[in-house]
Amino acid sequence: PRLHSASAPCCSSFGAAQEMDGLNVSQHSARSSTSVIQDGTAGTKMPHQWERSTRTLVDSARSAQRLSTNQRQLAFGVQKGTDAVMVQDNHTSMRALSGMIKACEELKQRVENQLESVLREAVLLEEEAARAEVVNAKIREPLSVAEECLAIRRRRPAREMTRDTVERALNEQVAASKHSLRMVNGVLDAASKELARLRQCRERLEEDVEQKNVALDVDREALQMENGWSEAGTQRRPASIALPHMWRQRTEQLIEESERVRATSERLRAKSRAIQEEIDTLERETRENTIRALGRKIEEAERLKGECQAAIVTVEGEIATMDSARGSVEQSLNDKLGPLSLARSRLSVRNSKPGAEAIRDSAERSLEKEVSDLEQSIRKLQLETARQNSDIK
């Protein structure tokens, strides 16, 4: 098309030059004819002059006819060439418009597909964020229960305040719940940021689709036009600065950016699902560990309680036995007080004998031995009674 459009001015300039030559020849022939006529009126011409002037006129007419024929052929050729250039340029413009419409429709379809994917991803991410919110609320209940259990166990008697397996299991459950809350809150924050990026991509994609719809309507209207209008009432637009590859590249970059945001959102959803599964497993394991520890603690406490109760029964029996033995010892002690008083009285009575009769005989020695033995027995019984009282207490 550029070659034809460039050759059209050359053809028109060449035809104009030939037309000027023909006009010059015609003017020269007319001047010759006028001079011949004027010469004829001046006097009588000879026959050969008259014939020569006629032939000159005929030759001039034939020459003018040939020039006119050549000019018509040249004009027809210029007309045919310009018509061909016009038709070819029209076909080229229509093909360019059709190609641009097709390319714009393909890009628009890709943008619409990307927009649909972004909208679907935004819905999925919102659902995932809602599930994370439910998990966040669900974690707080076992956390509060575990903390309350720890507070209740701190009210145990001082003798029972031990760092047993139950307390360790409860502390692990509290730590796991707090760690799960931090992870879920991190997922919720990331989901909020990704939803904002998805909304931004959606707005940009919708704007691009709207602009392409307008461009397609304009190109289709231009393609369907059959008659033009005068340029006098139209305002000439400045030439567009953007090139086709820049136009396509801008849309490609928007699609690529949307794909990156969507891929990040998909990874975040996968991470959220993995975190939720981990939280469920961790919460179940810590709860089961706490329940098992409480069960073992209860069984151990009941066993020790049974042993203590059996020991109490044994001790009570032993106390009863010792009370009986103590009563027997006290009875034996009381039984020896009378003989001791009797033996002492006998010694006192025998001391009243006259001096000659006051001798240390066998009776004296027996009474003294009896008093000594009774006193020693009473002391032993008193010591045994004190020991039994101490054991009973």
Side-chain angles (χ1 to χ4, degrees), residues 111 204-213 251 254:
V111 173
R204 293 178 62 187
L205 289 170
E206 289 176 349
E207 182 182 3
D208 192 75
V209 170
E210 183 179 357
Q211 290 180 356
K212 282 182 170 49
N213 284 329
T251 304
L254 178 59

Side-chain angles (χ1 to χ4, degrees), residues 66-86:
R66 285 194 300 272
L67 289 175
S68 177
T69 302
N70 292 334
Q71 184 63 33
R72 287 197 308 274
Q73 292 177 355
L74 180 61
F76 179 74
V78 171
Q79 179 183 357
K80 186 176 181 181
T82 54
D83 291 342
V85 170
M86 179 187 67

